[in-house]
Structure formats: structure tokens, C-alpha cells
Amino acid sequence: MAEQIPLTLPEHPRLAQNILHFARALRRAGLPVGPGRVVDAVRAVEAAGFTDRMDFYWTLHACFVSRPEQRLVFAQVFRLYWRDPRYLEHMMSMMLPAVRGVQEEKRAQSAEKRAAQALLGDALPDLPEEPPQEEATKIEVDASFTVSREERLKSLDFEQMSTKEIAEAKRMLARLTLPVKPLPSRRGIASLRGRRIDGRRSLRAALRQGGELRELAYLKPREKWPNLVVLCDISGSMSQYSRMVLHFLHAVANRKGAGWARVHAFTFGTRLTNITRHLATRDVDAALRAAGAEAQDWEGGTRIGGCLHAFNRDWSRRVLGQGAVVLLITDGLDRDDAGLLGREMQRLHLSARRLIWLNPLLRWDGFAPKAAGIRAMLPHVDSFRAGHSIASLEALGEVISSTGDSGEKARLMALLQG
């Protein structure tokens, strides 16, 4: 929760109007706040009183927050609107162009930038005019190597994006591709340059020549396209990353000529849910809305071992044929039995042609495999990569067909064994 600072009331407070403006800010931040909730909030504050800051916070929290993922946004908007006397200065530092100064000493926390945008809107505050100077020194700035807005957005963490940046990032993700190379199958097709002898065609040709075998027919391997199977963690710590990755997967599943035979998608938190048929819907918002309605454990806890056991038991043989590539998207923070998790990861690794683990926690420079779940999973993946930004997903597209890529696995395995 936000840091509590003693609140001083004005001589003639307008509490109802302030609650109304506060509700508007929450609505701009993405919370479903309507007039009915505003009326309920005013009545609740009137009944609970306005004598204790904690009571006031939780009274508004009870009226405006209905889902766990809304708590962080509510806390940031509440702190900026009601508590922090220097909130305007800090919001300006987050909304203005990124010129480092005293206002950037504190990095924006999760949902803080989204809260600032909700309070300020799209318009930036008016800056004070500087007094005219008679002999001002002219400074020329060489911006030839300045990072463009699109490049900055590519490297920005999904958790740190504002609502406007999230919308722009979704449009960029819709243009990304996940190319794959075809695989040689055991079946063959006729070819003059093939290396395998086609016995049937050779004998049929010999029968047409009176039983004399004059020339051999040859085969070359027929090409097949692999399946892409995605297992996406939708627990509370992975919610924002999972939404962005599912946007990316919807684009991959609906792009014709991308190469994949089929794209299968599963979500897991406390249970496994197959959302493959929803990704076939052309409209991405309708597809993800249907997938969210299908998965009942969004923003809940995590049982990675149990969910992988359900996948290996019920779906592995159905979807992991044809040299399937598996993308496992999770932070690996699991408190269940590490032995079960390790066994299920080993079975999944043996069933798939290639197992790639995307972990948003890898964005931290000092990341180390200390959690029991990560220690149990890491030895059984082919590649361990970050999955927290558009740039990381672009990098995935470049190496997904490369069998020699292991990402950060070798470095972390050295730490694990050291």
C-alpha cells in the first residue's frame, strides 16, 4: 500500500467533489468505475467517517476495487491524489521527455506512470516561462544518435508502460513474426537429386520395360512444419506479461504463411486451460476476452508442477507431434513440491523437440537461480531467455529455429553448480 502521510483538511472541504474527481482518475487508469460506485463511495465515507487515514483508504478501496490486479493502480492513484503533497512535481517528471535531472532520481514503480497519466491526461502541465536573457549562450545539441520513441518503447518493461504505451506496444506486437524452418520428415517425394532409392517406382518402370531394370528412381525427404505449443503463466505476478505475450501469439496464430502447422495455447495458474480455439478468432480483443472467460484462475496463485502434470497426462501426445516447439512463459516462482516440478519438466523436455523458457525476471542484471522452482526447472530447458519487452520477443523470433541457442542457460547453470 502507499506510504501513509498525515492529511490536513482545508477549512471548507469539498469531499464529495474530490471523491468524484478521484473516481474519474481511476476510470482513466482503467478501473471500471461508474456513477453508482461514486455514490456508494460518498455514502460509505459518510457512514465510516473521515477521522482516520487508514479507514478512508480502505473505505474507498472497498467501493472501487473489485479485482486483485486493480489494487496496485488504486494504491498509486490514491497516493498521488490524496497523500503526496509533491505529487504534481513527480507526475511531471514521469510525463515529460526523459531528460535526466533531479526529478528522475526516483524511478517510476509499477502502475505509477499509469496513475500519473490518469491524473494529468494527455495534456502536460504548463511550464513556467523563463525570463528573457540579453546575451544567452546558444547550445547546439547533436541528436543524431538519440533513441527514437519506437526504439525506447521496444526496450521498455511491460510492467512500466502507461495505458497509451501499452496500446502502441500491442500494435507493434501485431507486426512481429516468429519465423520457423521446415523439418525433414520420414516420408519422401520423387526427386531426380534424391539419395534414397524409390523401390516401388523403380520396379514399376522395370515392368514397363519387360522386367529389365534400366534406371533407378530416387526420393528426397518431404518437408513438414512443426507445431508451436505455448504454456503461459497467468498468475498474479505474471498478469501483465501474459496479456502482452497472448497478443503476440494471437498475431502469430492468425498470420498466414508464418510456417507453423498449428499454434496451441494453454494458460495455467492453479489449473490448466486450453485456449487454442479462442486464438482462431480474428478480432484480438474478442479472442482474449473469450480466453479470459475460459481461464478462471487469472491473477490467482501458481501450481506449475501440477499444471505441467496435467498437460503431460492429457495433451502431450495430442499436440507435441511433428517436432513441436514449446514456449514456457513463467517466472518459475512455485511453492509446490520441487521434485514433482522437476520430473514434469523432464518429461516435457523429452516430449518436445525444443523447449524454450521465457522468464520476465531475467530482466534484472543480478538475477540468480535461487528460487526452488527455478532450480528445478532450469536443467530441463534448451534455452532460457528474457520475455519482458518487445525487444526480447523480437530476439526470440531470431533464434527460435536455432538449435544451438541456449540463451542465458549456460551462465545460470554455472551459478547453479558453483
Side-chain angles (χ1 to χ4, degrees), residues 30 40 59 73 82-83 86 92 149 155 158 168 193 211 222 254 264 282 294-295 297 304 311 326 363 376 402 404:
D40 292 342
T59 300
V73 176
W82 296 99
R83 317 309 293 266
R86 301 184 61 190
M92 289 174 60
R149 174 181 174 79
S155 60
F158 291 140
E168 189 173 350
R193 298 180 179 178
R222 186 187 299 273
N254 288 276
H264 300 274
R282 297 292 298 177
E294 180 84 19
D297 50 348
I304 303 176
F311 176 81
V326 177
R363 67 188 185 277
S402 174

Side-chain angles (χ1 to χ4, degrees), residues 209-284:
Q209 301 296 330
E212 183 179 355
L213 184 60
R214 298 180 178 177
E215 187 177 4
L216 292 176
Y218 291 92
L219 295 172
K220 72 174 183 181
R222 186 187 299 273
E223 291 184 343
K224 65 177 182 180
W225 298 94
N227 288 336
L228 176 64
V229 180
V230 181
L231 299 170
C232 190
D233 188 345
I234 57 171
S235 61
S237 59
M238 287 289 299
S239 60
Q240 188 62 29
Y241 300 104
S242 300
R243 287 190 177 88
M244 302 302 286
V245 170
L246 288 177
H247 265 269
F248 174 52
L249 292 177
H250 179 270
V252 173
N254 288 276
R255 180 172 289 108
K256 293 183 179 179
W260 300 103
R262 288 204 63 185
V263 177
H264 300 274
F266 298 81
T267 61
F268 66 89
T270 56
R271 68 178 188 177
L272 185 72
T273 305
N274 186 355
I275 61 169
T276 301
R277 61 189 179 93
H278 300 304
L279 292 184
T281 306
R282 297 292 298 177
D283 183 78
V284 60

Side-chain angles (χ1 to χ4, degrees), residues 136-195:
T137 303
K138 185 178 180 181
I139 301 177
E140 295 184 358
V141 179
D142 183 6
S144 56
F145 295 100
T146 301
V147 179
S148 68
R149 174 181 174 79
E150 186 169 316
E151 291 174 339
R152 173 185 166 275
L153 190 61
K154 282 183 179 179
S155 60
L156 194 61
D157 192 314
F158 291 140
E159 278 281 1
Q160 300 295 334
M161 289 183 177
S162 65
T163 52
K164 185 178 179 180
E165 289 170 339
I166 288 176
E168 189 173 350
K170 288 177 180 177
R171 289 192 291 272
M172 294 175 64
L173 288 174
R175 299 194 299 268
L176 289 186
T177 59
L178 204 58
V180 63
K181 297 178 181 177
L183 302 174
S185 71
R186 294 182 180 178
R187 295 179 179 273
I189 59 174
S191 173
L192 296 176
R193 298 180 179 178
R195 296 183 177 180

Side-chain angles (χ1 to χ4, degrees), residues 41-75:
V42 174
R43 291 176 177 174
V45 172
E46 184 180 4
F50 193 67
T51 56
D52 186 88
R53 59 180 181 275
M54 292 295 293
D55 291 343
F56 183 59
Y57 177 90
W58 289 112
T59 300
L60 295 182
H61 187 281
C63 296
F64 292 132
V65 176
S66 56
R67 296 182 63 86
E69 65 269 20
Q70 300 168 359
R71 294 172 183 168
L72 186 58
V73 176
F74 175 86

